[in-house]
Amino acid sequence: MDVLYFAWLRERIGVPRERVETSAATVRDLVAELAGRDDWHAAALSDMDAVRVAVDQRLADMDAPLAGAREVAFFPPMTGG
């Protein structure tokens, strides 16, 4: 699965995307798995209230299933204007 990071998440983690092998069943499981990788992931994903998630380009919540997903993106909330 491809995991994409945008804005300050990309800056904190140090890469815009990474390919991961995961057995995570939900976004929440994936976040826990990624946060356990290193300090950069842990810091970037420590406050998920400040992060939005999309699974296969559709907004999702932390309990969204990942079965069959090809892409998960993490990004800060956006405002219109």
Side-chain angles (χ1 to χ4, degrees), residues 22 24 26-38 41-42 45 48 62 74:
T22 182
T26 65
V27 170
R28 186 179 314 280
D29 296 338
L30 178 63
V31 168
E33 192 176 295
L34 292 170
R37 287 183 159 200
D38 55 47
H41 284 84
L45 301 171
M48 290 305 292
M62 293 294 287
F74 296 100

Side-chain angles (χ1 to χ4, degrees), residues 8-70:
W8 56 263
L9 290 144
R10 177 183 60 233
E11 293 169 11
R12 289 184 186 171
I13 292 172
V15 296
R17 73 171 43 224
E18 58 187 329
R19 184 102 171 128
V20 299
E21 296 288 330
T22 182
S23 59
T26 65
V27 170
R28 186 179 314 280
D29 296 338
L30 178 63
V31 168
E33 192 176 295
L34 292 170
R37 287 183 159 200
D38 55 47
D39 291 341
W40 298 286
H41 284 84
L45 301 171
S46 65
D47 181 8
M48 290 305 292
D49 288 335
V51 177
R52 298 295 173 260
V53 180
V55 176
D56 290 334
Q57 301 184 3
R58 291 181 181 258
L59 287 177
D61 63 25
M62 293 294 287
D63 295 316
L66 294 179
R70 295 181 300 156

